[in-house]
Amino acid sequence: MKNIAVIGAGTMGNGIAHTFAQFGYKVQLIDISEEALKKGLATITKNLDRMVAKEKISETDKKTTLDNISTYTNVKDGVEYASLVVEAATENVDLKLKIFKQLDEVCAPDTILATNTSSISITQIGAVTSRPELVIGMHFMNPVPIMKLVEIIRGYNTSDEVTSTIMELSKKLNKVPVEVNDYPGFVANRILMPMINESIETLYNGVAGVSEIDTVMKLGMAHPMGPLQLADFIGLDVCLSILNVMYEGFKNPKYAPCPLLVNMVMAGKFGVKSGEGFYDYSESKKAEIVAKQFS
């Protein structure tokens, strides 16, 4: 398994591409937007530059990593030789189902199809293909090159062989894979998102302010980042999407998103990526945040 296709050049997609390429895999990074591909490659280059500056990798390692990545705007061309495709598009069920229907049509019959979804059913995604036994979840954590965890999610029909293959592949990326079953939110977000949502409810109800809530959790619970700052980092739109998936999946009101979160997303306040969420992020502040991830 040497050719890996990655669908989506955004934050998660370029991080996944970076990681595979750094470990010697040939990566075909695919996005319908040429501009997104250029931006994704620029992000990978900047992150590699920081790793060189910190003496974590050499200039030769950086060049080899970048040489391992090729870009495509046409899905069929990008996946032609792929043994594994990792989809990292927006957390939208309709979009993901559309992508997997297309992948099923254009990929080789034995190509494994993985999704980086953080909440959507692997079984549902696999069901729109003719190869549900080859469909699996690979939920990387952000920032991908740094974070060790990969949630490996088995759909109802995912084969033992595919699960074992992806577990071993993750280890070759110097990650720690953890196998979980296919329920909304899996493990990471089933536990994390209600905490973030409750933090937003706490703010919404006037119990305390943003910095006060985050300080309590950082100093009292030893969290490296407060839940509201973390929500900004994840993206408030992404948090809302995940909560909606869990609410629809379980029909349990404890997963219903806080009205404040809904309003902030409608107002375009997504967190770091939009420049404003629970905190304000100037361009210099954003650069500082990214730099710290690779320090």
Side-chain angles (χ1 to χ4, degrees):
M1 188 176 287
K2 277 297 179 183
N3 284 287
I4 312 295
V6 178
I7 308 289
T11 299
M12 295 305 294
N14 72 59
I16 293 167
H18 171 162
T19 301
F20 274 106
Q22 190 175 327
F23 281 84
Y25 294 88
K26 295 296 183 182
V27 178
Q28 296 82 50
L29 182 59
I30 305 165
D31 200 294
I32 58 172
S33 165
E34 187 68 48
E35 186 61 33
L37 289 168
K38 290 178 181 178
K39 186 176 179 181
L41 281 177
T43 298
I44 293 170
T45 302
K46 288 178 184 177
N47 291 338
L48 288 168
D49 284 338
R50 292 189 183 98
M51 296 175 84
V52 170
K54 296 290 182 180
E55 298 185 345
K56 293 184 176 181
I57 63 172
S58 67
E59 281 287 351
T60 301
D61 294 330
K62 171 191 166 183
K63 183 180 184 304
T64 301
T65 298
L66 290 172
D67 287 346
N68 281 338
I69 303 172
S70 53
T71 60
Y72 296 83
T73 54
N74 183 287
V75 172
K76 185 176 181 180
D77 292 341
V79 303
E80 185 176 3
Y81 301 108
S83 301
L84 168 68
V85 180
V86 182
E87 171 272 320
T90 304
E91 191 72 352
N92 177 289
V93 64
D94 293 332
L95 175 61
K96 290 187 185 294
L97 296 182
K98 180 180 177 181
I99 290 171
F100 272 79
K101 285 179 182 177
Q102 182 182 14
L103 291 175
D104 189 46
E105 292 171 358
V106 299
C107 289
D110 59 348
T111 300
I112 296 173
L113 306 181
T115 174
N116 183 59
T117 181
S118 53
S119 60
I120 297 168
S121 168
I122 308 304
T123 303
Q124 182 181 9
I125 292 172
V128 302
T129 75
S130 62
R131 62 182 91 189
E133 72 283 358
L134 299 181
V135 177
I136 194 166
M138 287 186 81
H139 180 207
F140 290 87
M141 303 294 127
N142 186 25
V144 180
I146 303 300
M147 299 292 280
K148 291 289 189 181
L149 176 66
V150 184
E151 272 190 309
I152 306 299
I153 307 103
R154 295 184 62 137
Y156 189 82
N157 292 303
T158 306
S159 73
D160 292 340
E161 181 182 359
V162 165
T163 302
S164 177
T165 297
I166 297 303
M167 293 283 285
E168 290 305 311
L169 176 64
S170 300
K171 292 175 185 176
K172 290 176 182 177
L173 300 176
N174 199 24
K175 302 298 186 188
V176 178
V178 177
E179 182 181 338
V180 305
N181 290 320
D182 187 22
Y183 292 95
F186 316 132
V187 172
N189 282 314
R190 184 167 179 173
I191 295 170
L192 175 63
M193 286 302 154
M195 183 189 74
I196 287 176
N197 198 43
E198 191 62 31
S199 302
I200 300 171
E201 285 279 0
T202 302
L203 176 66
Y204 181 58
N205 292 330
V207 179
V210 171
S211 63
E212 288 78 10
I213 291 168
D214 279 353
T215 299
V216 166
M217 297 304 289
K218 285 189 288 185
L219 299 185
M221 311 304 167
H223 290 193
M225 184 183 293
L228 298 176
Q229 185 183 9
L230 178 57
D232 276 354
F233 182 67
I234 294 169
L236 302 188
D237 54 334
V238 175
C239 292
L240 179 59
S241 293
I242 295 169
L243 284 164
N244 281 331
V245 167
M246 292 197 295
Y247 182 59
E248 287 298 316
F250 291 114
K251 306 298 183 185
N252 189 322
K254 75 178 181 178
Y255 298 114
C258 176
L260 176 58
L261 175 62
V262 175
N263 281 342
M264 290 179 72
V265 171
M266 285 195 297
K269 300 183 188 302
F270 301 149
V272 174
K273 62 186 172 185
S274 70
E276 185 178 357
F278 292 106
Y279 296 87
D280 287 328
Y281 303 92
S282 63
E283 286 303 314
S284 60
K285 183 68 174 177
K286 281 195 233 181
E288 179 186 329
I289 289 168
V290 173
K292 283 181 179 178
Q293 296 168 28
F294 291 86
S295 63

